[in-house]
Amino acid sequence: MAAPSTIGQVRDVFPKLGELTDKVVFGDVWERKGLAKRDRSLVTVSALITQDAPEQLRGHLWRALDNGVSKEEIIELITHLAFYVGWPRAGSAALVAKQVFAERNV
């Protein structure tokens, strides 16, 4: 199963958004040498949880697992953030993470 992508679902109607995602976000920003992809995944997942963005969170949890972040680390990240971004956001993120873990069999 391929990683879910919000942009992948709208690329046919928003081709420029898809191009910018490919070339700028993942082609430039994610390839910068200042942070490892694993660290970028931790930062991105945290940011998406604070923004309550479950659609984008799903794909980035997949990416985080691909980038070496463990299931246990994701669980700890969400638990830790509950106290800083709020219980409801952490609960929503936990539901998305549980689904991703099931999809990935981790």
Side-chain angles (χ1 to χ4, degrees):
M1 176 182 252
S5 165
T6 302
I7 298 303
Q9 295 176 50
V10 299
R11 188 179 295 271
D12 58 332
V13 178
F14 296 89
K16 187 63 176 182
L17 194 56
E19 177 187 336
L20 291 169
T21 299
D22 295 342
K23 290 184 179 177
V24 178
V25 177
F26 294 114
D28 181 20
V29 175
W30 274 80
E31 295 301 321
R32 293 174 54 85
K33 302 298 180 211
L35 287 174
K37 287 185 181 179
R38 181 185 185 287
D39 298 333
R40 289 185 190 282
S41 283
L42 288 168
V43 170
T44 302
V45 166
S46 296
L48 293 172
I49 292 169
T50 67
Q51 295 175 57
D52 196 22
E55 296 84 5
Q56 290 76 20
L57 179 60
R58 175 178 305 288
H60 279 282
L61 286 170
W62 273 69
R63 181 176 295 272
L65 291 166
D66 288 343
N67 286 336
V69 179
S70 71
K71 174 183 177 179
E72 293 74 20
E73 289 171 317
I74 291 169
I75 291 168
E76 190 61 30
L77 172 70
I78 293 169
T79 303
H80 184 79
L81 283 175
F83 295 93
Y84 292 92
V85 304
W87 218 256
R89 286 188 171 150
S92 295
L95 285 173
V96 173
K98 181 180 177 182
Q99 293 166 355
V100 169
F101 299 153
E103 293 164 0
R104 295 286 300 260
N105 295 313
V106 295

